[in-house]
Every structure is written in C-alpha cells, then in structure tokens.
C-alpha cells in the first residue's frame, strides 16, 4: 500500500511540470479539437465494418444538427492468411483496413483534409468443425469491430491535429 502512495507522490511533480511547460490536452475544454463536436456529419460507409466505423465516429463527434463539415470515407478491408497447419489449413488471419477520407465544407469548396489511415488486427480460426466454424465467424466479427474502432480513432486524431493547426 505504501508503495502505491509513494508512486503517486512521485508522479505529482511530473504532472505539475507538464502543466508548467505549456502542455494542453488535445480534446480539452475550449480547444479547437473539442470545437469539432457537432460540426461534422459522417457519410454512410458500406458494410458491417463501415457501419461500426461510422457509429464510432458519430458517437465521438457528437450529433451534427447544423454541421459545417462533411466526412466522406472509403473503407477497404483485406483478409490475409498468416498461419498454416501441417495439413495446409489456415488458422490465423490478419485483417488490414484502409480508410481513405476527406473532410469538406458543407457549403462547398475544396476539402480541408484528404488523408488515409491504416490499421491491422488479427484473429485465430480453429480447424474445421461446426463449433469451430462458429468460433471463427465470431472471431472474424470481433476483429472487424476492433479494426473499425481503431480506424475511427485514427481518423479523429488526424482531424483533431488539423483543428489544432488551425486549418479547419
């Protein structure tokens, strides 16, 4: 117990030093990144992973009642087998997701941001049987959920950094 409290006491000066050096949180109150809330509408993205990606973005950006910007995303998923058994059965897959996106003003004009983010996740698929086929499908869906969340977070970070630079 004493060890944990001692660590907290040692951490306090480090946190105070961060505040003194001009460090400000990216999404802190009153920051340009926080001002994005409710200002961006997210276009529909095809597929289950696209739906999850859009849901995550909409949740994090807040409902856009009178948006200033539109976010369009093109999602590409690629599944690659990376592990084989001696019987030549694939038991491990990587799912590679690429999201090309553009942020444009709703009123028209050139995009303020055009970029692409990429993420990779994986899942295991046991050898064939009815039970393992169900387990493989569940693992594949969970990998899609993880990938959508990671891509959404990377898009949001790029948008927040753009807002901090004052370009949006």
């Amino acid at each position: 117990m004493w060890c944990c409290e001692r660590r907290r006491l040692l951490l306090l000066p480090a946190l105070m030093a961060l505040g003194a050096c001009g460090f400000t949180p990216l999404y802190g109150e009153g920051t340009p990144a926080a001002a994005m809330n409710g200002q961006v509408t997210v276009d529909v993205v095809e597929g289950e992973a696209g739906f999850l990606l859009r849901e995550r973005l909409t949740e994090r950006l807040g409902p856009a009642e009178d948006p200033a910007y539109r976010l369009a995303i093109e999602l590409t998923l690629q599944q690659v087998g990376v592990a084989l058994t001696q019987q030549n059965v694939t038991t491990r897959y990587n799912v590679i997701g690429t999201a090309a996106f553009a942020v444009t003003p709703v009123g028209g004009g050139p995009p303020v941001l055009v970029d692409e983010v990429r993420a990779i996740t994986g899942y295991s698929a046991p050898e064939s049987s009815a039970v393992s086929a169900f387990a493989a499908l569940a693992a594949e869906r969970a990998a899609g959920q993880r990938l959508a969340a990671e891509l959404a977070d990377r898009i949001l970070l790029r948008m927040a950094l753009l807002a901090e630079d004052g370009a949006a």
Side-chain angles (χ1 to χ4, degrees):
M1 189 68 149
W2 163 249
C3 177
C4 292
E5 287 187 30
R6 186 172 180 190
R7 260 190 225 148
R8 286 185 195 152
L9 288 175
L10 292 174
L11 186 60
L12 185 60
L15 290 174
M16 291 174 70
L18 277 177
C21 76
F23 171 79
T24 57
L26 184 61
Y27 295 104
E29 190 174 317
T31 63
M36 290 189 314
N37 284 348
Q39 295 299 308
V40 181
T41 185
V42 183
D43 288 355
V44 173
V45 185
E46 295 294 318
E48 183 178 352
F51 173 81
L52 295 169
L53 173 69
R54 182 177 187 273
E55 285 295 304
R56 174 88 171 204
L57 288 166
T58 303
E59 173 188 311
R60 300 278 307 274
L61 288 168
E65 293 177 19
D66 188 24
Y69 298 97
R70 179 177 152 256
L71 174 60
I73 304 165
E74 185 177 319
L75 179 63
T76 306
L77 301 177
Q78 179 184 12
Q79 195 167 194
V80 179
V82 293
L84 295 173
T85 64
Q86 291 179 348
Q87 293 77 27
N88 207 25
V89 175
T90 305
T91 59
R92 179 84 183 156
Y93 293 91
N94 278 349
V95 183
I96 304 163
T98 305
F101 65 96
V103 179
T104 56
V106 169
V112 294
L113 175 63
V114 176
D115 207 345
E116 180 178 285
V117 294
R118 186 172 184 223
I120 300 173
T121 190
Y123 68 95
S124 294
E127 292 188 44
S128 294
S129 80
V131 174
S132 63
F134 178 76
L137 180 60
E140 182 179 358
R141 291 187 80 191
Q145 292 169 352
R146 289 190 307 274
L147 192 65
E150 179 65 27
L151 288 169
D153 291 345
R154 289 179 185 205
I155 290 170
L156 288 166
L157 180 59
R158 298 276 173 92
M159 290 174 59
L161 292 172
L162 175 77
E164 287 294 313
D165 289 342

